[in-house]
Amino acid sequence: MKSNLYALNVDLQDFFVQLYNVILEYRPGRLVFLIMSTTTLMPYTNKNMKVRNLLENDAGGGSVSGSVAGEVLAEALKIMLCDDRQHDMQKAAAFVKRLATFSLCFGSAESMAGLFSVKPLLRSEFEATSSEDMKVQNLLENDVGGGSVSGSVALEGVFIRSRSKARKSDQGAVADYLNNDLPDKLCPDDVFLTLGCTQAIEIVLTVLARPGANILLPRPGFPYYEAICGQRHLEFRHFDLLPEKGWEVDLTAIEALADAKTTAMVIINPGNPTGSVYSYQHLQKVAETAKKLGILVIADEVYGHLAFGDTPFTPMGVFSSTVPIITLGSISKRWIVPGWRIGWLITNDPHAILKDTGIVDSIKGFLNLSSDPATFIQGAIPRILENTKPEFFSKIIGLLREAAQIFHEKIKQIPCITCPNKPEGSMFMMVKLNLSLLEDINDDVDFCLKLAKEQNTIVLPGVAVGMKNWLRITFAIDPSALSDGLERIKCFYEGHAKKR
């Protein structure tokens, strides 16, 4: 088999190209390997007939499991790594590991983890019999050959890096913290620690991405969802939040948008960028609608418990007995430590639906290929969650309540801006521009650019979060600075108001 590779270019360059093309052509549930690829990559010999047969048996595009694909790639990697020619094995190891990481962009985590199930290659079939062989094995096991990771590599199932020492006690601490509000209790295995909530978003969208699949996103919302959907080739469809109803989800629109290929809907509560907090009754209706449509709910609760109005915060996980819930969160907002970059992805799944459908395994597969939160922050999580005094949270809520009150009172003094609701949670609010009262202002972007230039005050144009001619303003700043900023917006209006 090794001799058959000698026809390839120096340092197996063409082999690398072919191997990468195989990854790109793979899709979950449908393995499309071209006959041309098998001819170039795997010439006929008795020894490699097994590999070629595996490829050709599904050349028509039938269903292939991740384990079968894993056998194919494992055989190919064994050829590359066990070749007795003098190649740059450090580059080879780096290539393989980067290939494994980047391949997540082209398929589900579960499928891609299956592709790299080559434990036999490293542990039994690959025997280090020379100094060069030992070098290759060390490169793979210690990760010296490429990619930046911390901690040791655990060779369990996938040979590339696995999660670094996320202890059960850390996951258990998160489960205990969340269990304070949940009727169906979580266990440590339901908790996955992530690099902040943004990585949790990446994981869940990657896991749900399938050819032709779609997901329902709120408008206005957090634009990171659209960005990741675009990267993962996952179609997104927007449902409106209703400002006249406290930014509640338009459930009628949800039913109209969903079809047989809809996988999930996203809700953000407390709302970013709306400042809303959903009632228990509304969240119950959301859960019932999702159950009716056969989709799961992704609950972005990164602003969880930052509620300071009349509506208390209710976690979506309360309704996990109705529909599977994947909860995303972090310590960044409630503890005001965004730079610490530790969050979580929670599977609220008392009926084991997420487990039985492979979603949990897919999440694990993604995490086996990704970076982890800093280990010293992971180690601090139990004490952070258990020992923070209630007075700390009360102070944060008090400051936000005061700022929201200032915001609501002063924004009403600016005629060209309408605030549909008083903020009740998170740190943001959406307000509507009335362009008919302004001269030489074309839209929300023009408003924001001229405001920044003339008043040194920056707000976000609503089009960035899906609402043209609206503005998103944060009130999570010092009250005096907030008052000054709103006064500057008022001055800007007066300078651009239409003459009567």
Side-chain angles (χ1 to χ4, degrees):
M1 196 177 246
K2 298 173 188 173
S3 63
N4 291 327
L5 288 176
Y6 288 176
L8 297 176
N9 235 343
V10 177
D11 291 330
L12 302 177
Q13 179 177 351
D14 290 344
F15 176 76
F16 290 163
V17 173
Q18 293 292 340
L19 184 62
Y20 192 65
N21 286 336
V22 167
I23 296 295
L24 297 187
E25 291 165 10
Y26 179 74
R27 291 295 184 271
R30 183 176 175 87
L31 195 59
V32 185
F33 288 123
L34 301 180
I35 294 294
M36 180 179 67
S37 297
T38 68
T39 303
T40 306
L41 182 61
M42 299 292 177
Y44 281 109
T45 69
N46 291 333
K47 193 171 183 180
N48 65 20
M49 278 298 293
K50 173 186 175 184
V51 179
R52 187 181 179 93
N53 287 339
L54 283 170
L55 291 168
E56 290 186 340
N57 286 343
D58 196 64
S63 177
V64 173
S65 68
S67 62
V68 173
E71 290 181 38
V72 175
L73 197 52
E75 189 72 16
L77 293 175
K78 183 166 66 175
I79 297 169
M80 181 183 72
L81 296 174
C82 298
D83 184 11
D84 58 7
R85 297 173 71 194
Q86 294 298 313
H87 302 298
D88 188 337
M89 287 302 180
Q90 185 165 359
K91 290 183 179 179
F95 174 85
V96 171
K97 283 178 289 186
R98 290 189 176 117
L99 178 65
T101 302
F102 293 143
S103 66
L104 277 172
C105 296
F106 302 97
S108 72
E110 178 184 26
S111 303
M112 291 306 152
L115 286 174
F116 292 93
S117 296
V118 292
K119 180 168 62 175
L121 169 62
L122 291 178
R123 287 194 169 173
S124 58
E125 296 184 31
F126 181 73
E127 297 179 0
T129 57
S130 68
S131 59
E132 184 69 12
D133 291 340
M134 186 60 72
K135 176 183 177 183
V136 174
Q137 192 166 31
N138 288 339
L139 285 171
L140 291 169
E141 292 184 353
N142 296 327
D143 201 57
V144 182
S148 58
V149 297
S150 60
S152 60
V153 175
L155 299 174
E156 282 298 331
V158 250
F159 76 89
I160 29 187
R161 62 182 181 264
S162 67
R163 307 197 70 206
S164 60
K165 302 178 182 178
R167 298 174 302 174
K168 287 288 184 182
S169 61
D170 306 335
Q171 296 166 289
V174 175
D176 291 342
Y177 164 69
L178 297 174
N179 280 338
N180 291 327
D181 303 310
L182 298 176
D184 295 304
K185 302 305 180 184
L186 302 169
C187 68
D189 288 339
D190 299 320
V191 177
F192 301 92
L193 298 181
T194 61
L195 271 167
C197 195
T198 52
Q199 190 192 40
I201 294 172
E202 293 176 27
I203 293 169
V204 70
L205 295 183
T206 301
V207 164
L208 295 177
R210 296 288 188 277
N214 66 79
I215 190 170
L216 308 182
L217 302 179
R219 180 173 55 202
F222 183 42
Y224 195 69
Y225 283 94
E226 286 87 348
I228 297 300
C229 284
Q231 188 182 51
R232 300 298 191 260
H233 307 288
L234 175 61
E235 178 190 352
F236 56 87
R237 301 174 181 180
H238 285 120
F239 59 87
D240 289 327
L241 304 181
L242 306 174
E244 67 277 11
K245 294 185 177 181
W247 298 102
E248 287 186 347
V249 174
D250 186 346
L251 297 176
T252 302
I254 291 284
E255 295 194 35
L257 286 169
D259 59 23
K261 293 186 177 181
T262 303
T263 61
M265 63 175 291
V266 173
I267 64 164
I268 305 174
N269 182 47
N272 173 16
T274 62
S276 60
V277 178
Y278 293 144
S279 68
Y280 180 99
Q281 293 76 16
H282 182 61
L283 292 176
Q284 187 175 38
K285 291 178 182 178
V286 169
E288 291 168 352
T289 301
K291 179 181 179 180
K292 177 182 177 181
L293 298 173
I295 62 178
L296 61 88
V297 177
I298 300 169
D300 185 329
E301 296 177 355
V302 71
Y303 290 95
H305 292 283
L306 290 183
F308 41 80
D310 296 330
T311 306
F313 169 68
T314 301
M316 193 71 204
V318 167
F319 307 100
S320 61
S321 60
T322 301
V323 66
I325 309 291
I326 294 180
T327 299
L328 315 180
S330 80
I331 67 171
S332 63
K333 303 302 186 291
R334 194 181 187 197
W335 276 264
I336 320 297
V337 286
W340 290 21
R341 307 306 305 149
I342 187 162
W344 49 75
L345 183 155
I346 310 297
T347 54
N348 300 274
D349 190 27
H351 302 305
I353 296 172
L354 300 177
K355 181 178 179 181
D356 293 343
T357 54
I359 289 177
V360 171
D361 285 340
S362 296
I363 293 169
K364 293 177 181 177
F366 186 106
L367 288 168
N368 280 333
L369 302 175
S370 63
S371 300
D372 304 305
T375 52
F376 69 92
I377 299 295
Q378 291 185 46
I381 275 291
R383 296 188 66 181
I384 292 172
L385 297 180
E386 295 166 9
N387 297 343
T388 303
K389 296 180 179 180
E391 293 80 11
F392 173 82
F393 298 128
S394 298
K395 182 178 180 181
I396 298 298
I397 291 298
L399 291 171
L400 290 173
R401 183 183 292 114
E402 178 188 1
Q405 183 66 31
I406 293 172
F407 176 87
H408 189 246
E409 290 177 357
K410 289 190 172 293
I411 205 74
K412 290 187 293 185
Q413 300 172 15
I414 307 174
C416 68
I417 293 178
T418 302
C419 181
N421 301 283
K422 183 179 179 180
E424 290 204 335
S426 79
M427 303 174 178
F428 307 99
M429 188 61 208
M430 293 293 294
V431 295
K432 188 174 183 178
L433 270 179
N434 186 348
L435 295 176
S436 66
L437 300 179
L438 298 170
E439 287 184 343
D440 67 2
I441 301 295
N442 299 320
D443 54 25
D444 55 328
V445 175
D446 192 33
F447 181 96
C448 292
L449 289 173
K450 290 177 178 176
L451 176 66
K453 183 177 181 179
E454 297 176 21
Q455 295 291 337
N456 293 322
T457 301
I458 297 176
V459 298
L460 186 72
V463 69
V465 293
M467 297 283 282
K468 186 175 176 61
N469 294 331
W470 286 66
L471 305 172
R472 191 208 74 171
I473 304 177
T474 180
F475 51 85
I477 57 176
D478 180 79
S480 61
L482 178 62
S483 296
D484 179 56
L486 292 170
E487 283 296 325
R488 293 179 184 222
I489 295 175
K490 183 179 179 181
C491 290
F492 179 80
Y493 158 73
E494 293 170 348
H496 291 269
K498 284 186 176 180
K499 309 302 181 189
R500 295 185 179 182

